[in-house]
Amino acid sequence: MFRATWKSLLARKVRLILSGLAVVLGVMFVSGAFVLTDTLGRSFDQVFADAYEGVDVNVAAEPKVALSEMEGEQVGAPVPAATVEKVRAVPGVAEATGVVAADGARLIGSNGKVVTSFGPPQLGENWLGESDLVKLREGREPRADDEIVINAALAQAAKVTVGDRVGVLTLQPKKEFTLVGVFGYSGDRDSIGGANEIAFTTPVAQRLMLGEPDVFNNISVKAADGVDDETLRDDVARALGAGFEVKTGAQMSADASAGLKEGLSFFNKVLLGFAAVALLVGTFLILNTFSIIVAQRTRELALMRAIGASGRQIIGSVVLEAIAVGLIASVLGLAAGIGVGALLAYLFGKLAGGLSLAGLGVPAAAVIGAFGVGLVITVIAALLPALRAARIPPIAAMQDVATPDRPLTKVTVGGAIVTAIGAALLFLGLSGNAGDNTLSTILGGVLFAFIGVALLTPLISRPVVSLLGAIFAWSVPGKLGRLNSGRNPRRTAITAAALMVGIALVTGVTVILDSAKGSISALVEDQVKAELVISGAQSGPRPPSFDPAVLEQAARIPGVQLVDGEYGDMASIDGQRTWVGASSNVAALERMFGAKAVAGDISRLGPQEMLFSSDTAKSRNVSVGSQVTVQLSRGEAKRYTVSGIYESSQLTNPVVLPPQATKDFAIPQPIQGFVQLAPGARVADVQPQLDRLLADSPEVSVADRDAFIKQQTSQLDTPLRMIQILLALAIVIAVLGIINTLALSVLERTRELGLLRAIGLRRAQTMRMITVEAVVISIFGALLGVVVGTGLGAAVVEALKDEGITDLVLPWGQMAVFLGLAAIIGVIAAVLPAVRAARINVLGAIAHD
């Protein structure tokens, strides 16, 4: 049986290679994800080991408001300068240095634009001198208040040189400095981890980066000879008491690396999710391939049964073929995954500003995942055809057997049950009743929904395919192609289901994101009464901001009726983290954003008063007159009195503080500005004047309301494009499935094709017939995908109504594009099988058994 299986495998190399490619692509994603995260993880380990190389113990104050990774940028509490002296006095301390190092220093390059960073911080620091790690490459250290030095990576990105006058944005508006030096790092590195660094004198760094004099972010401690780091850490912690975080350099390095690895683990899950989609589609392809092969080998397998092969041996024969395909595909997929992981790591390093990558590694998880997934998926997909092969009776070897169509009752009932399970899981997950398992419940619901629809597809394939084929039935090849595409509902359904998965996911995501964009547009159009908006596109962890003085100057422009600047921060209110906002003009809440008072007065706000939205007030059990304690990112906690409650809206903050509170915000500058014009005033007259006011705020610009809406909604285009690119892999696999199905179908119908050619069907007509089959199957799959994807997307939109996605927007244009692409896919997929069918030798085909 082994020799027979091996010969059977070699006789069907091409068709098995095509099905194996699906596994290769899926395994590539799995192994590539592990290779990427392992390489980047070790790279970040090295980056932070270098960053804390000269630190034995680090002292920092506990943050005023502790934030998670998803809640925004952590702002450390200031460490008083007196604490440095206190640490120096601890026995075992050789040296204690006050350090200023805060994110948010943005250099304006030679082109007048801010140098942006996609991930790595933009640090503003105090210059601590040269060390084994840091070396000046050009110029000298900063001595005056208007002098800075920057790292080489930033100098290259900004295209500035020593002696240039440059602008820098910090907690304060733009200030001019003279660049007096450029520094680098040991090992000829231009940066550590791609960070952009600007070093000031210590007093200037304290004022610009921390907002007050004589304070530091942390204290770097060097241990005396013979003093253990852990022992010194404990001694310093005892000397300082509560309110400080004291860690060794090794702990700091490990904690910083762990935070980034948490983000990488999310990225890893995303890649594995796309790998799962690719493998799901590949399963349909492999199942179809082995089903057709078993159907074609009916007589061969029956002869084996007739000469003594048992059903178990027949199953073993088919499964052995699957194992061989799975092993080869896993090896190739692992090799491809290593290459893809290395390429993605390289691109990530470039995007992160030149991250120095650790050596490429292949973790055990990549190898285990590659072979485990590749083998399991292939064997599972081949199991049903194997069981079917074992049921072939020996008598089939003595007659010309055609595989009869089996009733669809069991498949239909099974599909209905699986679809119902999927719908139930989706309802449970989207309704928020799944607790901590919401994501896994939704993903499980999507998986069951896809499998259920695939099982139900044979029931509708024949009538739908017949209807679609009618478009091409104006000629003999078209009529034949229409009939052929509907002659085997199961095969057509499985082939179409592979394409359905990719199209459905793309359609579903498009429906959700387009609905989000439509909802944002409608909300702004309905509720924002401002004709002009000051804002910028956020490219890092900090939103763009501008000088508060612009608001006062804008209010004096002729034709301007009302100006409002919006601030934002994460705060702790009575111990619970909450996003809070502040308005430079509280009256704008009613007059510009249409907020309605529920209780109290929301048109004005005293220095010790605050406003709550109705939903937040209800959840916090506060009312007008209640007093609450608010701790912002900076400063001390303050008591405020609730003076008013307004109706909740997606456009208003849950809590509004008085403008006096903004000095303690993480970003004490407005991040958006809204300008309402007087009746009769023209946007074209006012906008240029606002542009001139923002000359020193290059991160932001002025746009009319339509342009602002477009700017806000365009941020959703990037994730959509990424998802479409990644899901294109599933569509590529589906194309392979159509090619494979048609190629095997051509082999199966060799005699039939020969007879058609003998009675006058020309080669061109034969090719058109095969092409019609492919196009009909492709459009059928795409149509299924559009319908299923629209349903899934609509369900998610319905579930997100409370989150602000209130309008269901169906992307009719993109749906039409998907169907058009499906027709093109069908034509492409038909090329090789059609050429092969056209080249069939007529006499040989007629005599074919």
Side-chain angles (χ1 to χ4, degrees), residues 370-400:
F371 285 95
V373 168
L375 282 172
V376 169
I377 291 296
T378 311
V379 171
I380 288 176
L383 201 55
L384 284 176
L387 292 172
R388 197 175 304 141
R391 297 193 188 104
I392 295 174
I395 194 66
M398 291 180 266
Q399 52 189 332
D400 191 12

Side-chain angles (χ1 to χ4, degrees), residues 744-780:
L744 292 172
S745 179
V746 166
L747 286 174
E748 188 177 51
R749 291 152 46 198
T750 299
R751 187 175 183 185
E752 174 189 320
L753 291 169
L755 288 170
L756 288 171
R757 290 292 313 284
I759 62 175
L761 195 69
R762 296 188 299 274
R763 286 187 175 182
Q765 290 178 311
T766 303
M767 295 178 68
R768 279 166 52 196
M769 178 183 70
I770 301 297
T771 302
V772 167
E773 288 185 53
V775 169
V776 169
I777 292 173
S778 295
I779 294 178
F780 176 49

Side-chain angles (χ1 to χ4, degrees), residues 603-644:
S603 63
R604 58 183 180 82
L605 207 54
Q608 300 302 316
E609 295 178 334
M610 64 188 300
L611 306 175
F612 270 79
S613 68
S614 55
D615 288 347
T616 308
K618 183 178 179 181
S619 64
R620 297 299 182 91
N621 195 27
V622 300
S623 57
V624 172
S626 298
Q627 290 194 325
V628 297
T629 301
V630 179
Q631 174 64 67
L632 294 165
S633 296
R634 308 179 196 277
E636 299 303 319
K638 293 183 175 64
R639 295 283 286 176
Y640 287 90
T641 300
V642 179
S643 62

Side-chain angles (χ1 to χ4, degrees), residues 231-269:
T231 301
L232 183 60
R233 174 199 61 196
D234 296 340
D235 291 344
V236 170
R238 278 193 295 271
L240 294 179
F244 291 91
E245 294 178 345
V246 184
K247 298 180 180 180
T248 65
Q251 283 179 304
M252 293 293 292
S253 175
D255 290 349
S257 183
L260 280 173
K261 286 180 178 178
E262 185 178 344
L264 285 178
S265 67
F266 173 78
F267 186 59
N268 188 48
K269 290 175 183 176

Side-chain angles (χ1 to χ4, degrees), residues 284-302:
F284 289 121
L285 170 53
I286 296 166
L287 174 63
N288 216 18
T289 301
F290 276 93
S291 295
I292 297 172
I293 289 174
V294 166
Q296 291 176 351
R297 295 171 59 196
T298 299
R299 293 190 67 182
E300 174 190 331
L301 295 172

